[in-house]
């Protein structure tokens, strides 16, 4: 580039390279155009004893640019991350159940067990009875993936509906063992 500037400076009649360099040099990753304009005097003689001086303008331009690439995460990857969060959340709820003999719908309590999940935010929790209305033996957890798909997981610890279930809806209170058991046996 220096050689190109020397040639350009010579073209417009400047011999010192420093007086010809652009005032702004573009930084990497930016798009900019720099134009340097210097007057070039031209002297002509029209008749003996008379001199006319005119000025012409020459310019040197340099341009630099970069291309930005955007990466899109596939929906299947986003959905897999949401399912992983739900499996971790169910393990956390199982821990709460083993400590207190019931599942816990309190976002603050669950945040204390696992602060890495968005309890009460993206991650919804609903608790209900498994055998009786107040035994806290049913939990329903749900989260919306960044792809826009809804996923849920639920567990009933006792009774006729005992098991772990998987679904595609947002859990809401009040829930029940029957609602959780109606989800299905797998995310398919």
């Amino acid at each position: 580039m220096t050689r190109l500037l020397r040639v350009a400076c010579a073209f417009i009649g400047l011999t010192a390279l420093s007086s010809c360099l652009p005032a702004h040099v573009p930084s990497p990753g930016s798009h900019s155009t720099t134009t340097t304009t210097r007057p070039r005097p031209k002297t002509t003689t029209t008749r003996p004893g008379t001199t006319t001086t005119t000025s012409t303008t020459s310019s040197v331009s340099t341009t630099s640019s970069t291309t930005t690439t955007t990466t899109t995460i596939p929906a299947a990857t986003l959905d897999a991350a949401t399912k992983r969060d739900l499996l971790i959340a169910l393990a956390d709820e199982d821990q709460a159940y083993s400590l207190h003999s019931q599942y816990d719908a309190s976002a603050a309590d669950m945040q204390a067990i696992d602060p890495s999940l968005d309890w009460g935010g993206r991650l919804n929790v609903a608790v209900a009875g498994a055998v009786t209305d107040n035994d806290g033996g049913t939990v329903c957890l749900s989260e919306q993936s960044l792809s826009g798909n809804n996923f849920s997981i639920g567990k009933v610890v006792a009774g006729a509906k005992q098991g772990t279930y998987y679904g595609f809806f947002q859990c809401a209170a009040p829930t029940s063992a029957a609602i959780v058991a109606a989800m299905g046996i797998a995310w398919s």
Side-chain angles (χ1 to χ4, degrees):
M1 182 157 143
T2 305
R3 185 166 192 261
L4 178 64
L5 285 173
R6 285 183 197 275
V7 170
C9 289
F11 175 75
I12 60 173
L14 298 172
T15 56
L17 183 61
S18 62
S19 64
C20 181
L21 289 175
H24 173 267
V25 177
S27 61
S30 67
H31 175 75
S32 63
T33 302
T34 304
T35 304
T36 304
T37 305
R38 302 274 191 249
R40 182 177 175 209
K42 182 177 180 184
T43 305
T44 58
T45 304
T46 55
R47 55 187 172 151
T50 306
T51 303
T52 305
T53 304
T54 58
S55 218
T56 59
T57 304
S58 299
S59 64
V60 177
S61 296
T62 59
T63 303
S64 68
S65 65
T66 59
T67 303
T68 303
T69 304
T70 303
T71 304
T72 303
I73 300 171
T77 303
L78 297 171
D79 292 349
T82 300
K83 291 174 185 178
R84 179 198 53 113
D85 284 354
L86 289 171
L87 290 168
I88 292 169
L90 183 58
D92 295 339
E93 282 286 352
D94 283 340
Q95 181 181 355
Y97 186 84
S98 69
L99 293 172
H100 308 290
S101 299
Q102 63 181 6
Y103 288 114
D104 194 339
S106 166
D109 291 348
M110 295 312 299
Q111 189 74 27
I113 291 174
D114 187 350
S116 71
L117 297 175
D118 189 12
W119 298 97
R122 289 184 56 225
L123 179 60
N124 298 311
V125 182
V127 174
V131 177
T132 66
D133 289 342
N134 299 341
D135 67 13
T138 299
V139 66
C140 184
L141 301 149
S142 63
E143 186 174 319
Q144 185 176 36
S145 170
L146 293 176
S147 71
N149 296 323
N150 290 314
F151 294 94
S152 52
I153 190 169
K155 190 169 186 179
V156 180
V157 295
K161 309 271 188 223
Q162 182 178 1
T164 302
Y165 303 95
Y166 306 84
F168 301 96
F169 63 86
Q170 288 290 318
C171 297
T175 193
S176 68
I179 291 171
V180 170
M183 281 194 231
I185 57 170
W187 287 308
S188 49

